[in-house]
Amino acid sequence: MAQNDPLAPSGRFAVVQSGAAQTPPMGWNPWNAFHADVDEAKVRAVAKAMVDSGLAARGYRFVNIDDGWALRRLADGRLQIRSNTFPSSHVEGSATGSFKPFTDALHALGLKAGIYTDIGRNTCMQRWDAGVPNLPVGSVAERQVGSFGYAVTDMRTIFADWRFDYIKVDACGVADYTPADPPVTSGAYNAFPPLIVRGNIPASDPKAIEGLYAALGDAVRRWGGETATLSICAWGEALSVLWGPRRGNLYRTSPDIESNWKSMLANIDSVVDGALYAGPGHWNDPDMLEIGHGDFDAAHPTEARSHFTMWTIMAAPLLLGYDLRHPDPALHAIVSNPEVIAIDQDAAGNQGIGYRDGDAMVVVRTLAAAGTRAVAFLNRGAVPVEARVSWRQLGFAPGSHARVRDVWARRDDAAASDLIRVTLPAHGSALLRVTGTPADPGAVPLDAMPARIHVAVDGLSRANALPMGRFPARVGATPDGAPLIAGGQPVGGIGVFANSRLEVHADRAFSRLVATPRVLGGTGPVRFQVYADRRLVQEVSAAPGKAASIVADIRFASVVELVTRQPSNGGRPPMVAWSAARMVR
Ligand code: GLA
């Protein structure tokens, strides 16, 4: 095997494993409520409300500040805080000021503190919100408050000196300051040759931007310790969702959410097929909650509940964005529901697997408790629909009975068998907790353990990458979205491209891997290899349209790797499937 062979087994489960964000972060961020008009009084009042209302006790711990806190970068490279809006940062004799009093106050409330920067030289608001309050001031150089070139020193200041626990790192600085952009042509900002060209993966430079986030992430952990949290905000551009699991604790999958139904649906769609890219310590981020605003305000409890239902089933971060100083009992009841929050925070960390039938959507999430699934149903449309989930989708034995709990109603329903149907009003949703008998009690299908799978290599290059929002490796489906079928029946498994390598965190819990891999296109055969802690334990070859059979001995393996190989002609490799793959105990 060539030494630089990207398909060579690593023996590692190479997602971020610092200890941060073992469940999706929960908290509050001012952006959706106040945009740039943020100040310390508001943030501290919200923090107090978070504690007094009981939200903190339900798990909302992070109070994050977003864009708008930096006044300037001083000639010596240090950042100066805007002390007129954050008065506690004023320190006699200090040119920069300090956020330590502010984070001390949050920590004293039992909360954690988050802050914001940009991976480039300038932030998003500088580019997109000309004229808003709280823009940085001074010369072109002084207004370069982003962390490009300052990753280590900024993270030292932010984590070691100011004691933040969390940082969101935006990416406008490497996307929106091209030589042709108006604020650059006017001389207000220096040009930054774009590493992200929005909507254009081949013209972007995913490797370079991943490198910047990797270096910044190292500095976050060096100065912030093992639980310091890094939120990557590159909106799913430049393949950031694909490399995010190795670099950040959460990574945006879409453009900014807006407070309307259509935008929320788009953000669901940006993430719902991405279960293989999320797990403890590394979460897909469809953006902060818009509950409390627009289509999700107190007058729209159905929509607000649907928004919350979908974020919890997708194991999304739960960052509230409304002004908690003016609480609303109906909204509070939604976002504080302990059984719903428990689904989002489930220890197994599996993101739900989505299915669509017209406007009806169902998402099935395997929970940590034995035989237990959370099931979310969503009506995307404006007329009532019936939605259903089958025992096959739940992985339950045909004919077996399951216990059903309606999570929002906090009510145990009658036991069900083979199929559950619900009728949903316009924009309505339902959330169930279902406990049944797994079809194969001695094994775990890979479908039911996406959090323990990392797509280390997906077989695609940036030139032939799938468009943004599409995932090159999927649970139960091909990368095109067709269900994995054998003998006319859906069989589950992982669909991916050839020349891929998947790392499975087996953690010594399994004895065999059983699968019937298939080649779904192309002309030549594909080799399927199974490695257990870097040792090749089985290898089979299959021709296009054909299946092979694998029973691999993986006893005592910590990391099992599933590799597919076909000599490359430089184009997009054929799709393959690890059909019916399961780990036998
Ligand atoms: C970008 C981010 C938002 C917010 C703003 C701040 O648009 O995606 O979440 O942080 O910048 O300027």
Side-chain angles (χ1 to χ4, degrees):
M1 219 169 326
Q3 214 158 35
N4 59 359
D5 173 11
L7 298 175
S10 71
R12 296 180 53 224
F13 186 59
V15 300
V16 173
Q17 292 200 34
S18 65
Q22 291 303 292
T23 61
M26 294 174 63
W28 179 86
N29 176 300
W31 186 253
N32 287 346
F34 304 123
H35 280 243
D37 194 11
V38 65
D39 63 46
E40 181 170 4
K42 285 176 180 159
V43 177
R44 287 182 61 166
V46 164
K48 187 166 180 307
M50 211 158 98
V51 174
D52 293 346
S53 66
L55 286 171
R58 290 279 153 91
Y60 293 92
R61 284 291 156 76
F62 289 101
V63 172
N64 299 341
I65 50 182
D66 208 278
D67 210 348
W69 63 266
L71 184 68
R72 62 162 69 86
R73 192 173 288 281
L74 300 170
D76 63 9
R78 291 180 304 160
L79 286 164
Q80 183 179 359
I81 301 166
R82 178 177 276 284
S83 63
N84 66 328
T85 48
F86 286 89
S88 79
S89 72
H90 178 76
V91 179
E92 217 42 61
S94 157
T96 60
S98 171
F99 266 125
K100 179 84 174 11
F102 173 75
T103 62
D104 279 350
L106 293 178
H107 291 149
L109 289 169
L111 302 172
K112 289 175 180 290
I115 194 168
Y116 168 101
T117 187
D118 196 285
I119 199 77
R121 292 197 182 96
N122 293 99
T123 73
C124 288
M125 148 182 158
Q126 289 182 293
R127 173 67 177 86
W128 297 112
D129 301 272
V132 297
N134 302 333
L135 286 166
V137 301
S139 65
V140 168
E142 286 174 310
R143 283 183 281 109
Q144 292 182 343
V145 297
S147 290
F148 185 82
Y150 294 98
V152 174
T153 52
D154 282 0
M155 294 312 111
R156 186 175 60 203
T157 303
I158 284 169
F159 286 95
D161 298 345
W162 295 347
R163 299 277 166 184
F164 280 95
D165 307 289
Y166 179 117
I167 189 161
K168 168 176 170 181
V169 183
D170 224 333
C172 289
V174 297
D176 305 326
Y177 293 85
T178 76
D181 283 322
V184 175
T185 49
S186 75
Y189 297 104
N190 281 334
F192 194 107
L195 301 178
I196 292 178
V197 178
R198 289 178 189 255
N200 189 341
I201 296 165
S204 300
D205 192 343
K207 275 239 148 38
I209 182 163
E210 178 181 0
L212 292 178
Y213 277 105
L216 186 135
D218 288 345
V220 166
R221 289 178 277 274
R222 172 164 169 211
W223 300 109
E226 294 297 282
T227 59
T229 302
L230 170 59
S231 159
I232 295 176
C233 184
W235 329 285
E237 297 282 359
L239 307 178
S240 53
V241 184
L242 308 190
W243 49 258
R246 295 190 283 273
R247 305 303 178 194
N249 301 111
L250 54 158
Y251 19 89
R252 286 274 300 277
T253 57
S254 67
D256 289 5
I257 193 168
E258 293 161 21
S259 60
N260 64 74
W261 184 252
K262 200 170 154 230
S263 163
M264 186 206 63
L265 290 181
N267 281 21
I268 291 172
D269 294 342
S270 75
V271 71
V272 72
D273 298 325
L276 292 172
Y277 298 84
H282 60 286
W283 307 102
N284 286 313
D285 177 8
D287 206 359
M288 304 175 285
L289 297 161
E290 277 288 14
I291 291 170
H293 306 129
D295 288 354
F296 312 99
D297 67 8
H300 297 87
T302 300
E303 284 79 4
R305 207 180 302 118
S306 294
H307 186 356
F308 203 65
T309 297
M310 295 309 288
W311 260 236
T312 61
I313 202 74
M314 299 187 306
L318 300 179
L319 294 168
L320 301 170
Y322 64 99
D323 186 352
L324 298 177
R325 295 174 306 173
H326 308 292
D328 176 274
L331 297 180
H332 181 85
I334 291 170
V335 303
S336 68
N337 184 308
E339 291 191 30
V340 181
I341 291 172
I343 291 173
D344 181 75
Q345 298 286 300
D346 183 77
N350 292 312
Q351 181 182 316
I353 311 298
Y355 304 89
R356 241 187 105 176
D357 178 11
D359 275 342
M361 207 167 175
V362 53
V363 185
V364 176
R365 181 170 175 183
T366 302
L367 301 180
T372 304
R373 319 276 186 253
V375 186
F377 302 91
L378 175 71
N379 179 1
R380 300 165 67 102
V383 292
V385 293
E386 188 188 82
R388 49 180 75 194
V389 70
S390 69
W391 257 219
R392 186 193 56 70
Q393 288 164 329
L394 294 173
F396 289 164
S400 65
H401 281 73
R403 282 186 285 132
V404 180
R405 180 160 175 85
D406 183 323
V407 174
W408 283 113
R410 299 201 202 178
R411 181 186 69 214
D412 291 324
D413 287 346
S417 182
D418 289 322
L419 192 70
I420 298 172
R421 299 167 205 268
V422 297
T423 302
L424 304 168
H427 296 175
S429 57
L431 185 60
L432 306 179
R433 214 182 140 95
V434 187
T435 305
T437 310
D440 180 355
V444 182
L446 292 188
D447 304 45
M449 50 189 286
R452 293 168 70 146
I453 299 172
H454 169 231
V455 185
V457 180
D458 62 28
L460 303 183
S461 65
R462 82 171 159 172
N464 63 24
L466 298 183
M468 203 176 126
R470 298 255 318 275
F471 292 88
R474 288 188 50 177
V475 173
T478 69
D480 279 352
L484 302 183
I485 305 271
Q489 293 299 314
V491 286
I494 308 283
V496 63
F497 290 95
N499 294 328
S500 54
R501 179 167 64 81
L502 310 178
E503 296 164 353
V504 185
H505 187 210
D507 208 16
R508 300 169 160 254
F510 303 97
S511 66
R512 272 173 300 141
L513 176 119
V514 180
T516 49
R518 292 174 169 271
V519 183
L520 303 172
T523 50
V526 173
R527 274 194 293 155
F528 293 83
Q529 301 175 316
V530 179
Y531 292 85
D533 291 336
R534 301 185 66 197
R535 198 164 43 83
L536 182 65
V537 290
Q538 193 164 13
E539 174 164 31
V540 298
S541 189
K546 292 282 185 311
S549 172
I550 280 184
V551 182
D553 181 351
I554 56 165
R555 253 172 303 171
F556 307 117
S558 297
V559 177
V560 171
E561 285 167 84
L562 307 180
V563 174
T564 54
R565 291 175 185 271
Q566 183 182 67
S568 168
N569 61 9
R572 190 180 279 170
M575 293 191 289
V576 297
W578 292 90
S579 292
R582 55 200 191 278
M583 306 279 277
V584 180
R585 288 206 180 83

